[in-house]
Amino acid sequence: MNSTSALEQLAEIELQKEEEEDEDQSCVTDGPSTNSCSSDPSHPYYDVARHGIVQVCGDDKFGRKLIVFSSCCLPPSHQLNHRRLLEYLKFTLDQYVEMDYILVYFHHGLRSGNKPSLKWLREAYAEFDRKYKKNMKTLFVVHPTNFIRIVWNIFKPLISHKFGKKLIYVNYLTELREHLNYEQLIIPADVLRHDEKLRLAQKGGPAPSVKTPPPRPPLPTQQFGVSLQYLREKNMEAIIPLVLSQTVTYLKEKGLNTEGIFRRSARVQIIKDVQKLYNLGKPVDFNEFNDVHVAAVILKTFLRELPEPLLTFNVYTHIQDFLNVESSLRVSRCRQLMEDLPEHNFIVAKYLLSFLYTVSQQSVENRMSPSNLSCVFGVNLLRPPHGSLSLSSLTPINMFTEILIQHFPSVFGSRCPPRPDHPLTLTTQPLPRTKHCFLPIL
C-alpha cells in the first residue's frame, strides 16, 4: 500500500471516529435556501441549488464577495450527483471569478454518507484552473478536524505554496469576526449548535473570544462607523454625509458605464488608507487611484459600517413578511415604509436610491440591473438588530431593495434629491416639520 492510499484509509478512519464521537448524528439545518436561485425550479442547477450547499452572502469588510460552502447541507450521496455539484460550484464562481472573493468552508456535518470521494476532490482541484485560484484571496476552513488535516496532507503535493498560504483554520465562529463582516454570513443552524457545543466543552482553556478594550470615542472628523446623527451634529452644513456625497459624485461622472460596478473589489490597503484619510478629516481625491472600484467599495463600506443600517432596524422587522404582500401592493408598501423613516434617514436614502436608479438605467453597459444591485446593496441597507442574517431573510431583503431601485420614482415621489455636486445645506432654522419635506439651499 503506497503512502497516499494509507493516508486515504486513515482519513476514512478519522471521519468514522468523528461521527461516533458526535452524539448528534443528524444534520439539522434551516432547510433549503430560499434565495432566488435555489427556489426557482427553472434554475439550470435547481437539483443542486435547492439544498443551499453553496451560498453567496454579501461582501467582506473590503468589498470582496463571500461564498460559503456548508457540508451539513450535503444530502446523502445517493441523492446528489456530485458531478453536478462541481458544475454548480463552477457556475456560481464564474459570476465572481474576475474579482477577488473569499471562500468560507463549514466542515461540520460532513459524514461518510454524504461526503464526495477523494477522487472528486482531486477532479475539483484540477478543474479549478488559475483564474479561480488567483482571485480567491482566503479559504477559511471552519471547525477543522483530523480528517481535514489528513486530507490536506494528501493534497499537499498538488497544491502550490502560494495557494497553501491562503488557507486559514478557524476553530470557533467568533474568530471569523476578525476577518469578515460576520453579520452577512449565512451560517446553518447545525453549525451554530456545533460551535456552541465546542465552546461549552472547553475545559480550563482560554475563551475562544478575546476580550477587547472599550471602544475609543470617535474623532470629531470620524466618517466611518458612526451614526448619521453623529455626522450631522459634527458637520451642520451638510445633510448628505461627506463619504456618500463624494463617492456618488465621482461614480456618476466616471463609473456609470463600468461593467460590474459594485461587484468588484479594490486593493485592501488602498481602502484602509482612504478610510483613514476620511476619518482624519483629510481630503480624498478618487481621481488619484485611477480605479472606479475604489470609490464603489468605499461607498459600500460606509453603508455597512453604520451602527444602525440606513433603512433602520425597524424596517428590517417589517419586511420579513414582505413575501406575503400581494405583488400589486408591494410598491405602495415600500413607499409607506420609506415615509415612516426618520426624516434624516429618508433624505439620505432618497439620495442614495436615486443614484442606484441611475446606475440601473445604464445596465446594458454596466450589467447592474435592479436585481443585481439589490443583491449587492440589500445586506448593506438592512440587517437585524441582533445576530446574523438568516437564509430566509435574504429573499425579502433583496426583493424589497430591488423594488426601491426599480420603482424609485413611484416609491420616493417625482422630486429627485439635489445634485451631488451641490450637497444640501442647512440654514440656522430647523428643518420644516412637514413629513420628509425639506428646502435645500443650492
Side-chain angles (χ1 to χ4, degrees):
M1 182 181 294
N2 59 39
S3 59
T4 301
S5 298
L7 283 172
E8 289 182 9
Q9 185 176 356
L10 182 59
E12 293 289 346
I13 293 172
E14 284 296 329
L15 187 60
Q16 291 175 11
K17 286 167 60 178
E18 290 163 14
E19 290 182 43
E20 292 170 0
E21 291 170 0
D22 191 343
E23 296 177 0
D24 182 9
Q25 293 289 322
S26 63
C27 173
V28 183
T29 69
D30 287 333
S33 168
T34 56
N35 64 33
S36 57
C37 288
S38 62
S39 62
D40 181 5
S42 66
H43 188 276
Y45 290 95
Y46 173 72
D47 56 317
V48 180
R50 65 191 179 93
H51 296 291
I53 303 163
V54 180
Q55 299 284 348
V56 180
C57 49
D59 304 328
D60 75 350
K61 295 180 179 179
F62 303 105
R64 299 176 295 193
K65 193 60 62 180
L66 289 174
I67 299 175
V68 172
F69 187 104
S70 301
S71 289
C72 73
C73 294
L74 285 166
S77 296
H78 68 275
Q79 296 180 12
L80 179 68
N81 184 324
H82 287 152
R83 181 64 204 176
R84 291 276 293 169
L85 173 60
L86 177 56
E87 292 173 358
Y88 174 58
L89 185 57
K90 291 177 67 175
F91 172 84
T92 302
L93 292 178
D94 279 340
Q95 301 174 58
Y96 306 100
V97 73
E98 298 301 328
M99 67 186 90
D100 296 344
Y101 68 95
I102 306 295
L103 188 60
V104 180
Y105 169 66
F106 291 123
H107 174 62
H108 176 68
L110 192 72
R111 309 289 186 190
S112 299
N114 70 355
K115 76 173 184 63
S117 67
L118 293 178
K119 178 182 178 182
W120 181 89
L121 289 174
R122 289 195 189 93
E123 290 177 356
Y125 185 80
E127 290 198 27
F128 287 116
D129 56 27
R130 186 174 181 273
K131 71 175 183 178
Y132 296 98
K133 298 166 186 172
K134 176 186 175 184
N135 287 338
M136 189 191 77
K137 295 307 176 183
T138 311
L139 167 59
F140 291 102
V141 176
V142 183
H143 301 139
T145 63
N146 286 337
F147 171 81
I148 285 289
R149 293 179 172 87
I150 293 170
V151 170
W152 181 255
N153 285 328
I154 294 174
F155 280 83
K156 218 168 186 179
L158 305 175
I159 296 173
S160 68
H161 176 70
K162 188 174 182 180
F163 182 86
K165 291 173 66 176
K166 299 179 180 182
L167 175 69
I168 295 179
Y169 287 132
V170 176
N171 295 312
Y172 302 94
L173 291 174
T174 51
E175 296 172 18
L176 286 174
R177 294 183 183 275
E178 302 173 17
H179 307 281
L180 306 174
N181 186 8
Y182 183 84
E183 284 67 29
Q184 289 189 2
L185 274 179
I186 296 175
I187 306 177
D190 196 45
V191 173
L192 292 169
R193 283 190 288 268
H194 179 68
D195 188 77
E196 182 65 20
K197 179 180 176 182
L198 292 177
R199 289 164 59 89
L200 292 174
Q202 283 189 310
K203 296 181 179 179
S209 58
V210 179
K211 290 185 178 180
T212 56
R216 296 179 179 177
L219 297 170
T221 53
Q222 192 90 14
Q223 299 293 317
F224 289 85
V226 293
S227 67
L228 290 180
Q229 181 181 358
Y230 182 88
L231 292 171
R232 181 175 167 184
E233 289 173 352
K234 295 299 179 181
N235 187 4
M236 289 298 291
E237 293 184 354
I239 295 178
I240 305 301
L242 179 66
V243 176
L244 185 57
S245 174
Q246 292 188 347
T247 52
V248 165
T249 300
Y250 177 79
L251 290 169
K252 272 193 170 182
E253 181 182 350
K254 305 284 188 179
L256 290 182
N257 297 321
T258 301
E259 183 173 343
I261 188 68
F262 295 119
R263 293 184 66 174
R264 298 194 177 184
S265 60
R267 287 179 56 193
V268 170
Q269 191 55 52
I270 290 178
I271 300 304
K272 289 181 178 179
D273 291 343
V274 172
Q275 284 185 273
K276 185 176 181 180
L277 287 173
Y278 271 120
N279 286 335
L280 293 176
K282 296 183 178 180
V284 173
D285 182 2
F286 287 108
N287 290 301
E288 295 180 359
F289 306 108
N290 196 31
D291 182 2
V292 297
H293 299 295
V294 172
V297 172
I298 285 293
L299 172 56
K300 291 188 295 181
T301 303
F302 172 78
L303 295 170
R304 186 165 53 245
E305 293 191 4
L306 288 171
E308 181 177 30
L310 177 59
L311 299 187
T312 73
F313 293 129
N314 184 56
V315 169
Y316 174 85
T317 61
H318 283 292
I319 68 161
Q320 291 311 294
D321 64 347
F322 196 70
L323 297 178
N324 298 324
V325 178
E326 291 185 25
S327 299
S328 60
L329 300 177
R330 285 174 180 169
V331 172
S332 60
R333 178 60 174 154
C334 288
R335 184 188 306 116
Q336 177 190 352
L337 289 173
M338 291 301 95
E339 289 177 351
D340 288 341
L341 283 175
E343 191 167 42
H344 193 199
N345 292 70
F346 176 87
I347 295 170
V348 176
K350 184 173 182 178
Y351 179 87
L352 173 66
L353 270 300
S354 172
F355 166 61
L356 297 182
Y357 175 73
T358 301
V359 173
S360 71
Q361 297 300 293
Q362 304 293 326
S363 61
V364 173
E365 291 82 17
N366 60 38
R367 306 296 182 185
M368 295 305 291
S369 65
S371 176
N372 290 336
L373 286 168
S374 71
C375 291
V376 173
F377 280 91
V379 292
N380 292 318
L381 294 175
L382 288 162
R383 65 176 184 271
H386 305 290
S388 58
L389 289 166
S390 65
L391 294 175
S392 60
S393 67
L394 285 179
T395 298
I397 286 175
N398 290 347
M399 181 180 293
F400 176 73
T401 308
E402 181 177 352
I403 291 175
L404 293 183
I405 297 170
Q406 184 174 359
H407 299 278
F408 170 81
S410 298
V411 172
F412 287 89
S414 59
R415 181 179 59 198
C416 291
R419 298 188 306 276
D421 52 332
H422 293 285
L424 288 170
T425 57
L426 288 175
T427 65
T428 55
Q429 300 298 318
L431 286 170
R433 294 314 304 159
T434 303
K435 193 170 189 179
H436 301 325
C437 176
F438 50 93
L439 301 174
I441 299 176
L442 300 179

